[in-house]
Amino acid sequence: MNSRSPSSSGLLPLPLPGTPSSSWRIYRARLSALLRDPNTSALVAFWLFGLINNILYVLLLTAAQDLVGPSVPKALVLLADVMPSFLTKLVAPYFIHLVPYSIRILVLVALSSGGMLLVALTPTTQSVGVKMVGVMIASLSSGGGELSFLGLTHYYGVNSLAAWGSGTGAAGLVGAGLYVLMTDWLGMSVRNSLLVSALMPGIMLLSFFVILPRERIKQSNGTSGYEPLPGLDRDDSAEGEREIDASAASAALLSEPGPSSVTAYHSNSAAAKSTSFWTNLGRAKSLFWPYMLPLLLVYVAEYTINQGVAPTLLYPLEQSPFSEYRSFYPFYGFLYQLGVFISRSSTPWIRIHHLYFPSLLQVGNLVLLTLHALLNFIPSVYLIFLVIFWEGLLGGAVYVNTFTEIMDNVPAEDREFSLGATSVSDSGGICIAGFIGMAMEVWLCDWQVQHGRDYCRRVEVS
């Protein structure tokens, strides 16, 4: 029999229903105390950071068909949505630490909202290129936000990293689902849906300036080590806002919780920085076959499906649950993100050690759906729904299990570098898929029209 009392376990007991103390006033007071707790506030803030920083990326991909119309490859949106963010993450770490966090947040919000407003307010009669400029501006904000928020976790420990990761995972599902909800279920126009989305970055302001306990951002005085802060004395000076390397935070996100997760980076940082380029190149080569290649394969396959093949997976409207052809594409995106969200949360229960198996299954999905786009042999769109959902499950599983395998198998002194080096594979795979998808969609649509299936030409954006 467990004799521990609730108070001895560190938990704050709620009153039992029916007791004299079970009043709404007490419930509200205890809930208010929980929300005022600095640790809880930090977790909420970082979850919102992850959600909002990534949600516009997903929403723009879901809206790709409505942004460029049926005659322009949807992969163009993918490239505009990925390349600026990727380049930002390559260049910004060398100077972004000079900009205080409070200024960064304002710039990030301005870029995100400004980019979405440019996309939303560009008349349909004007060039698609103007909309792509807006997408690229929002992409710059996403890349800079990832660097900044991961660096900010230096002051809040591994729990804030876990909250950030959870928020980024939820962004895929929420972004795709929200666009489907606004345009299909609520009947909002694409323009109005994007205008609503342009307001979302404002949540970053609320998260940083209101929810986040910024007292923990302390002046470092140039010291290289990190000591957990015993108090919460307020210090909001710009000089006190300092970050660590984002790749170290990424490594901590995937590490086991514990007080050494943050300090381990600093104990090894000098050695890591002194490692020569050729040594790092040799370490990267050892990662290619077991980790980088399967991750690259799965990203090339799934993003080629999403941006190059999915726009041509159309059926007669009377054989589908939709009333217009434009509804197919965003719903495919929602099903894909649902699968990704589920599988990225699966590692506590399901582990995949042989990464090539699901990667090759994903390549099989690409072949299957491409053949169907050409030969039209899958009889029901509901079977396509299942394949797209399965595609999301495989993609998310390979991503999360790749980094989990690195955490399990790579020596601790090489782990930080290995996680950062391997993450290049997903960005590289998306870029490759973007170029493949641009050609593939045009080819598949032309083939279908030549063989009497002109559904891809009937798509009318809202």
Side-chain angles (χ1 to χ4, degrees):
M1 179 176 178
N2 189 355
S3 61
R4 294 179 65 193
S5 67
S7 59
S8 66
S9 65
L11 299 176
L12 184 65
L14 289 174
L16 294 174
T19 63
S21 60
S22 60
S23 66
W24 282 111
R25 180 180 60 81
I26 294 178
Y27 276 112
R28 287 197 302 268
R30 292 186 175 180
L31 180 60
S32 177
L34 177 65
L35 294 177
R36 287 197 301 267
D37 179 73
N39 293 323
T40 301
S41 298
L43 294 181
V44 172
F46 276 95
W47 192 88
L48 291 173
F49 288 151
L51 177 73
I52 301 302
N53 191 69
N54 284 31
I55 196 171
L56 296 185
Y57 164 80
V58 175
L59 195 145
L60 286 169
L61 290 183
T62 307
Q65 182 172 256
D66 294 325
L67 297 182
V68 299
S71 60
V72 179
K74 312 308 170 286
L76 178 64
V77 180
L78 175 64
L79 290 174
D81 210 7
V82 171
M83 292 297 292
S85 176
F86 179 59
L87 294 175
T88 299
K89 288 186 283 187
L90 286 177
V91 176
Y94 297 100
F95 63 84
I96 198 170
H97 62 280
L98 301 175
V99 183
Y101 280 107
S102 56
I103 302 299
R104 290 190 224 175
I105 298 299
L106 295 174
V107 172
L108 293 174
V109 170
L111 288 174
S112 295
S113 295
M116 292 300 294
L117 287 173
L118 182 59
V119 174
L121 298 177
T122 299
T124 55
T125 56
Q126 291 192 10
S127 171
V128 172
V130 178
K131 296 180 180 179
M132 293 304 100
V133 171
V135 174
M136 294 171 71
I137 292 174
S139 177
L140 287 172
S141 175
S142 178
E146 183 171 354
L147 290 173
S148 296
F149 294 127
L150 283 173
L152 191 60
T153 59
H154 167 55
Y155 302 99
Y156 298 89
V158 293
N159 287 335
S160 66
L161 288 163
W164 160 267
S166 175
T168 59
L173 185 60
V174 174
L178 184 63
Y179 189 75
V180 172
L181 173 67
M182 290 189 294
T183 58
D184 287 348
W185 298 353
L186 299 181
M188 296 174 61
S189 67
V190 173
R191 180 179 182 273
N192 289 337
S193 300
L194 294 176
L195 287 175
V196 171
S197 303
L199 301 176
M200 292 180 184
I203 297 176
M204 285 187 185
L205 297 176
L206 176 68
S207 301
F208 184 81
F209 292 103
V210 178
I211 299 176
L212 184 70
R214 289 185 293 145
E215 294 86 351
R216 296 191 181 187
I217 305 176
K218 293 293 184 176
Q219 185 172 358
S220 64
N221 293 324
T223 57
S224 60
Y226 169 78
E227 295 295 335
L229 299 173
L232 292 177
D233 299 329
R234 190 167 189 86
D235 180 2
D236 288 332
S237 62
E239 293 80 3
E241 299 178 350
R242 177 179 167 268
E243 69 170 340
I244 60 169
D245 183 82
S247 63
S250 299
L253 175 60
L254 297 165
S255 65
E256 293 293 327
S260 63
S261 298
V262 176
T263 57
Y265 160 70
H266 292 281
S267 64
N268 294 323
S269 60
K273 290 180 180 178
S274 64
T275 303
S276 70
F277 169 79
W278 295 110
T279 301
N280 283 339
L281 183 61
R283 296 158 78 189
K285 288 181 179 178
S286 68
L287 299 169
F288 181 77
W289 293 107
Y291 307 116
M292 299 177 75
L293 184 57
L295 188 60
L296 178 73
L297 285 175
V298 80
Y299 267 82
V300 170
E302 68 189 68
Y303 273 86
T304 300
I305 292 173
N306 295 344
Q307 309 305 129
V309 182
T312 67
L313 301 177
L314 305 175
Y315 285 77
L317 293 178
E318 60 271 15
Q319 299 178 17
S320 76
F322 307 119
S323 60
E324 53 185 354
Y325 285 105
R326 67 155 298 277
S327 300
F328 282 84
Y329 185 79
F331 191 70
Y332 288 151
F334 170 75
L335 290 176
Y336 163 76
Q337 295 293 350
L338 177 62
V340 168
F341 177 73
I342 292 173
S343 58
R344 285 198 181 190
S345 307
S346 66
T347 50
W349 303 279
I350 301 174
R351 282 293 306 278
I352 298 175
H353 300 287
H354 302 288
L355 300 174
Y356 278 99
F357 181 68
S359 295
L360 293 177
L361 286 177
Q362 193 74 294
V363 174
N365 284 337
L366 173 59
V367 173
L368 172 67
L369 294 176
T370 301
L371 289 175
H372 168 69
L374 293 171
L375 305 178
N376 193 31
F377 59 86
I378 297 179
S380 172
V381 69
Y382 294 97
L383 295 176
I384 299 293
F385 291 165
L386 289 176
V387 176
I388 296 295
F389 176 69
W390 170 241
E391 173 210 346
L393 288 176
L394 288 175
V398 173
Y399 177 88
V400 71
N401 281 279
T402 294
F403 293 107
T404 307
E405 285 293 293
I406 291 175
M407 291 300 303
D408 288 347
N409 301 322
V410 174
E413 61 271 18
D414 294 330
R415 197 171 295 158
E416 177 192 336
F417 171 82
S418 299
L419 290 166
T422 303
S423 68
V424 175
S425 294
D426 55 41
S427 298
I430 294 173
C431 293
I432 293 172
F435 289 107
I436 296 175
M438 290 183 67
M440 202 161 189
E441 182 190 348
V442 174
W443 170 57
L444 290 175
C445 184
D446 288 343
W447 172 281
Q448 291 178 348
V449 171
Q450 293 170 9
H451 291 76
R453 290 181 289 138
D454 64 344
Y455 309 130
C456 60
R457 296 279 195 257
R458 300 188 199 178
V459 176
E460 297 180 1
V461 299
S462 302

